[in-house]
Amino acid sequence: MSSAFIRSDTSRRADIRYCCGSTGAGKSSYIKADVAADKRLLVFDPDDEYGDIPGIVSFHDGPALLAALKEHKTKPFKARLVQGGQAAFELCNSLAFAWTNCSYIAEEIADVTRVGKAPQHWGQLLRRGRKRAIKIYMTTQRPSEADKTALTQASIVRTGLLGRHADREALARDMDIPIALMEKLRPLDFIEAHRDAQRRVFVGNAADGTREEITARLRDNAPEAEPKPAQKAPVTAKKPANNSVKAPRRNAAQKAGTLKA
Ligand SMILES: Nc1ncnc2c1ncn2[C@@H]1O[C@H](COP(=O)(O)OP(=O)(O)OP(=O)(O)O)[C@@H](O)[C@H]1O
Ligand SMILES: [Mg+2]
């Protein structure tokens, strides 16, 4: 497909959502609800899960999908490729990148990526999709076996119940949350870590619609929030003569200026 109709724009914010959880954790349901209002959608759908999206057109081979996307180069369109394997995955990645201005869903990335290196088009999409207005959703049941570029680039990491300890451990580290929080999850519970400046964390349950921000609580309980003995002022340290606010440190140039005066 020829180049994108939309200009590259570095001011766009990345929207890359990494959704984890064992089978039945609610990953695809969450994504479907989130893209419900989107006009341009492409899905790599090896397990045939997205046929119930209103208006979506199903394709079972690459050339037919390519032709349809060309036809809808700048128009609203929803399409999915119901085919598994790395070739189909990479085709979808390259098509999403060329199509631009769309939401893109990649299902079960652990089947089509490896921990060490992201496949070429997948890496390109993750690193440069933001500038082409591509919102990316991906799912995996096995985050410890999926490629790390995806996790590194994600702007939101969301997890439901994960059955394997290795997965919980790997993800807790990456989400910067205590593993104990992950051990408590029940079906359709979720934890969502936002990789923004505030590093916000939310917990909730998809079935009952609850959602609560726990960022402050997490940080208050973090070990680094407690005073460390090494950081205490030494007993012998001299106190300042008065309680006035300390003057800011002067740099070398300022000191030199003072000396000259
Ligand atoms: N918000 C919700 N409210 C009520 N039920 C839900 C909700 N989300 C998911 N479910 C139920 O949980 C089931 C599993 O959800 P979903 O198919 O999204 O899981 P998944 O994580 O995508 O699983 P898999 O990895 O096997 O594809 C759904 O069939 C649905 O019945
Ligand atoms: Mg699913």
Side-chain angles (χ1 to χ4, degrees), residues 229-247:
Q231 289 174 333
K232 281 183 186 162
V235 193
T236 53
K238 279 185 190 168
K239 283 193 173 175
N242 58 38
N243 289 334
S244 62
V245 179
K246 262 190 176 179

PDB file of all heavy atoms in Angstrom, residues 229-247:
ATOM      1  N   PRO A 229      17.856   4.524  57.622  1.00  0.00           N
ATOM      2  CA  PRO A 229      18.835   4.969  58.616  1.00  0.00           C
ATOM      3  C   PRO A 229      19.990   5.730  57.978  1.00  0.00           C
ATOM      4  O   PRO A 229      20.416   6.752  58.475  1.00  0.00           O
ATOM      5  CB  PRO A 229      19.324   3.658  59.240  1.00  0.00           C
ATOM      6  CG  PRO A 229      18.272   2.660  58.917  1.00  0.00           C
ATOM      7  CD  PRO A 229      17.577   3.121  57.688  1.00  0.00           C
ATOM      8  N   ALA A 230      20.446   5.277  56.813  1.00  0.00           N
ATOM      9  CA  ALA A 230      21.600   5.907  56.171  1.00  0.00           C
ATOM     10  C   ALA A 230      21.322   7.351  55.778  1.00  0.00           C
ATOM     11  O   ALA A 230      22.226   8.145  55.634  1.00  0.00           O
ATOM     12  CB  ALA A 230      22.000   5.121  54.943  1.00  0.00           C
ATOM     13  N   GLN A 231      20.027   7.668  55.620  1.00  0.00           N
ATOM     14  CA  GLN A 231      19.695   9.025  55.179  1.00  0.00           C
ATOM     15  C   GLN A 231      19.533   9.993  56.348  1.00  0.00           C
ATOM     16  O   GLN A 231      19.393  11.184  56.152  1.00  0.00           O
ATOM     17  CB  GLN A 231      18.389   8.994  54.381  1.00  0.00           C
ATOM     18  CG  GLN A 231      18.564   8.329  53.035  1.00  0.00           C
ATOM     19  CD  GLN A 231      17.239   8.177  52.310  1.00  0.00           C
ATOM     20  OE1 GLN A 231      16.188   8.101  52.944  1.00  0.00           O
ATOM     21  NE2 GLN A 231      17.293   8.129  51.002  1.00  0.00           N
ATOM     22  N   LYS A 232      19.537   9.447  57.599  1.00  0.00           N
ATOM     23  CA  LYS A 232      19.372  10.325  58.757  1.00  0.00           C
ATOM     24  C   LYS A 232      20.603  11.209  58.897  1.00  0.00           C
ATOM     25  O   LYS A 232      21.725  10.785  58.616  1.00  0.00           O
ATOM     26  CB  LYS A 232      19.208   9.488  60.020  1.00  0.00           C
ATOM     27  CG  LYS A 232      17.807   8.930  60.169  1.00  0.00           C
ATOM     28  CD  LYS A 232      17.704   8.178  61.471  1.00  0.00           C
ATOM     29  CE  LYS A 232      16.377   7.487  61.579  1.00  0.00           C
ATOM     30  NZ  LYS A 232      16.405   6.438  62.585  1.00  0.00           N
ATOM     31  N   ALA A 233      20.383  12.428  59.364  1.00  0.00           N
ATOM     32  CA  ALA A 233      21.517  13.340  59.550  1.00  0.00           C
ATOM     33  C   ALA A 233      22.422  12.795  60.652  1.00  0.00           C
ATOM     34  O   ALA A 233      21.924  12.294  61.665  1.00  0.00           O
ATOM     35  CB  ALA A 233      20.999  14.709  59.944  1.00  0.00           C
ATOM     36  N   PRO A 234      23.768  12.846  60.478  1.00  0.00           N
ATOM     37  CA  PRO A 234      24.664  12.365  61.530  1.00  0.00           C
ATOM     38  C   PRO A 234      24.477  13.180  62.807  1.00  0.00           C
ATOM     39  O   PRO A 234      24.209  14.381  62.740  1.00  0.00           O
ATOM     40  CB  PRO A 234      26.060  12.586  60.943  1.00  0.00           C
ATOM     41  CG  PRO A 234      25.879  13.133  59.588  1.00  0.00           C
ATOM     42  CD  PRO A 234      24.444  13.353  59.319  1.00  0.00           C
ATOM     43  N   VAL A 235      24.629  12.522  63.943  1.00  0.00           N
ATOM     44  CA  VAL A 235      24.381  13.181  65.233  1.00  0.00           C
ATOM     45  C   VAL A 235      25.344  14.349  65.434  1.00  0.00           C
ATOM     46  O   VAL A 235      25.013  15.358  66.031  1.00  0.00           O
ATOM     47  CB  VAL A 235      24.571  12.155  66.381  1.00  0.00           C
ATOM     48  CG1 VAL A 235      24.007  12.703  67.680  1.00  0.00           C
ATOM     49  CG2 VAL A 235      23.923  10.848  66.024  1.00  0.00           C
ATOM     50  N   THR A 236      26.543  14.213  64.882  1.00  0.00           N
ATOM     51  CA  THR A 236      27.565  15.235  65.110  1.00  0.00           C
ATOM     52  C   THR A 236      27.426  16.443  64.182  1.00  0.00           C
ATOM     53  O   THR A 236      28.127  17.428  64.350  1.00  0.00           O
ATOM     54  CB  THR A 236      28.964  14.633  64.872  1.00  0.00           C
ATOM     55  OG1 THR A 236      28.956  14.034  63.582  1.00  0.00           O
ATOM     56  CG2 THR A 236      29.338  13.618  65.934  1.00  0.00           C
ATOM     57  N   ALA A 237      26.525  16.342  63.225  1.00  0.00           N
ATOM     58  CA  ALA A 237      26.423  17.445  62.256  1.00  0.00           C
ATOM     59  C   ALA A 237      26.055  18.739  62.953  1.00  0.00           C
ATOM     60  O   ALA A 237      25.205  18.763  63.827  1.00  0.00           O
ATOM     61  CB  ALA A 237      25.363  17.105  61.204  1.00  0.00           C
ATOM     62  N   LYS A 238      26.726  19.834  62.545  1.00  0.00           N
ATOM     63  CA  LYS A 238      26.452  21.137  63.159  1.00  0.00           C
ATOM     64  C   LYS A 238      25.150  21.687  62.612  1.00  0.00           C
ATOM     65  O   LYS A 238      24.897  21.614  61.416  1.00  0.00           O
ATOM     66  CB  LYS A 238      27.585  22.111  62.835  1.00  0.00           C
ATOM     67  CG  LYS A 238      28.766  21.944  63.726  1.00  0.00           C
ATOM     68  CD  LYS A 238      29.769  23.026  63.411  1.00  0.00           C
ATOM     69  CE  LYS A 238      31.066  22.723  64.119  1.00  0.00           C
ATOM     70  NZ  LYS A 238      32.148  23.570  63.635  1.00  0.00           N
ATOM     71  N   LYS A 239      24.352  22.266  63.496  1.00  0.00           N
ATOM     72  CA  LYS A 239      23.108  22.883  63.041  1.00  0.00           C
ATOM     73  C   LYS A 239      23.415  24.280  62.539  1.00  0.00           C
ATOM     74  O   LYS A 239      24.335  24.929  63.048  1.00  0.00           O
ATOM     75  CB  LYS A 239      22.125  22.984  64.204  1.00  0.00           C
ATOM     76  CG  LYS A 239      21.474  21.660  64.512  1.00  0.00           C
ATOM     77  CD  LYS A 239      20.295  21.866  65.430  1.00  0.00           C
ATOM     78  CE  LYS A 239      19.566  20.552  65.590  1.00  0.00           C
ATOM     79  NZ  LYS A 239      18.490  20.643  66.539  1.00  0.00           N
ATOM     80  N   PRO A 240      22.630  24.802  61.562  1.00  0.00           N
ATOM     81  CA  PRO A 240      22.840  26.174  61.128  1.00  0.00           C
ATOM     82  C   PRO A 240      22.581  27.134  62.290  1.00  0.00           C
ATOM     83  O   PRO A 240      21.815  26.813  63.198  1.00  0.00           O
ATOM     84  CB  PRO A 240      21.813  26.370  60.010  1.00  0.00           C
ATOM     85  CG  PRO A 240      21.064  25.103  59.881  1.00  0.00           C
ATOM     86  CD  PRO A 240      21.587  24.123  60.845  1.00  0.00           C
ATOM     87  N   ALA A 241      23.229  28.295  62.248  1.00  0.00           N
ATOM     88  CA  ALA A 241      23.125  29.253  63.348  1.00  0.00           C
ATOM     89  C   ALA A 241      21.696  29.708  63.574  1.00  0.00           C
ATOM     90  O   ALA A 241      21.286  29.948  64.681  1.00  0.00           O
ATOM     91  CB  ALA A 241      24.016  30.449  63.055  1.00  0.00           C
ATOM     92  N   ASN A 242      20.926  29.857  62.523  1.00  0.00           N
ATOM     93  CA  ASN A 242      19.514  30.224  62.714  1.00  0.00           C
ATOM     94  C   ASN A 242      18.647  29.361  61.812  1.00  0.00           C
ATOM     95  O   ASN A 242      19.135  28.487  61.101  1.00  0.00           O
ATOM     96  CB  ASN A 242      19.311  31.715  62.421  1.00  0.00           C
ATOM     97  CG  ASN A 242      19.757  32.035  61.020  1.00  0.00           C
ATOM     98  OD1 ASN A 242      19.551  31.249  60.107  1.00  0.00           O
ATOM     99  ND2 ASN A 242      20.403  33.184  60.845  1.00  0.00           N
ATOM    100  N   ASN A 243      17.326  29.632  61.858  1.00  0.00           N
ATOM    101  CA  ASN A 243      16.403  28.798  61.089  1.00  0.00           C
ATOM    102  C   ASN A 243      16.056  29.404  59.740  1.00  0.00           C
ATOM    103  O   ASN A 243      15.086  29.022  59.112  1.00  0.00           O
ATOM    104  CB  ASN A 243      15.111  28.588  61.886  1.00  0.00           C
ATOM    105  CG  ASN A 243      15.369  27.671  63.061  1.00  0.00           C
ATOM    106  OD1 ASN A 243      16.288  26.854  63.011  1.00  0.00           O
ATOM    107  ND2 ASN A 243      14.584  27.821  64.115  1.00  0.00           N
ATOM    108  N   SER A 244      16.837  30.380  59.299  1.00  0.00           N
ATOM    109  CA  SER A 244      16.506  31.026  58.032  1.00  0.00           C
ATOM    110  C   SER A 244      16.686  30.056  56.872  1.00  0.00           C
ATOM    111  O   SER A 244      17.449  29.088  56.969  1.00  0.00           O
ATOM    112  CB  SER A 244      17.396  32.249  57.813  1.00  0.00           C
ATOM    113  OG  SER A 244      18.730  31.820  57.747  1.00  0.00           O
ATOM    114  N   VAL A 245      15.988  30.342  55.778  1.00  0.00           N
ATOM    115  CA  VAL A 245      16.064  29.480  54.604  1.00  0.00           C
ATOM    116  C   VAL A 245      17.461  29.574  54.018  1.00  0.00           C
ATOM    117  O   VAL A 245      18.032  30.669  53.931  1.00  0.00           O
ATOM    118  CB  VAL A 245      15.027  29.937  53.544  1.00  0.00           C
ATOM    119  CG1 VAL A 245      15.119  29.066  52.300  1.00  0.00           C
ATOM    120  CG2 VAL A 245      13.639  29.874  54.135  1.00  0.00           C
ATOM    121  N   LYS A 246      18.020  28.410  53.668  1.00  0.00           N
ATOM    122  CA  LYS A 246      19.381  28.385  53.125  1.00  0.00           C
ATOM    123  C   LYS A 246      19.452  29.108  51.790  1.00  0.00           C
ATOM    124  O   LYS A 246      18.557  28.965  50.966  1.00  0.00           O
ATOM    125  CB  LYS A 246      19.788  26.933  52.878  1.00  0.00           C
ATOM    126  CG  LYS A 246      20.612  26.352  53.987  1.00  0.00           C
ATOM    127  CD  LYS A 246      21.128  25.039  53.495  1.00  0.00           C
ATOM    128  CE  LYS A 246      22.049  24.402  54.469  1.00  0.00           C
ATOM    129  NZ  LYS A 246      22.510  23.115  53.988  1.00  0.00           N
ATOM    130  N   ALA A 247      20.501  29.848  51.589  1.00  0.00           N
ATOM    131  CA  ALA A 247      20.693  30.494  50.288  1.00  0.00           C
ATOM    132  C   ALA A 247      21.008  29.425  49.260  1.00  0.00           C
ATOM    133  O   ALA A 247      21.651  28.418  49.588  1.00  0.00           O
ATOM    134  CB  ALA A 247      21.858  31.461  50.373  1.00  0.00           C
TER     135      ALA A 247
END
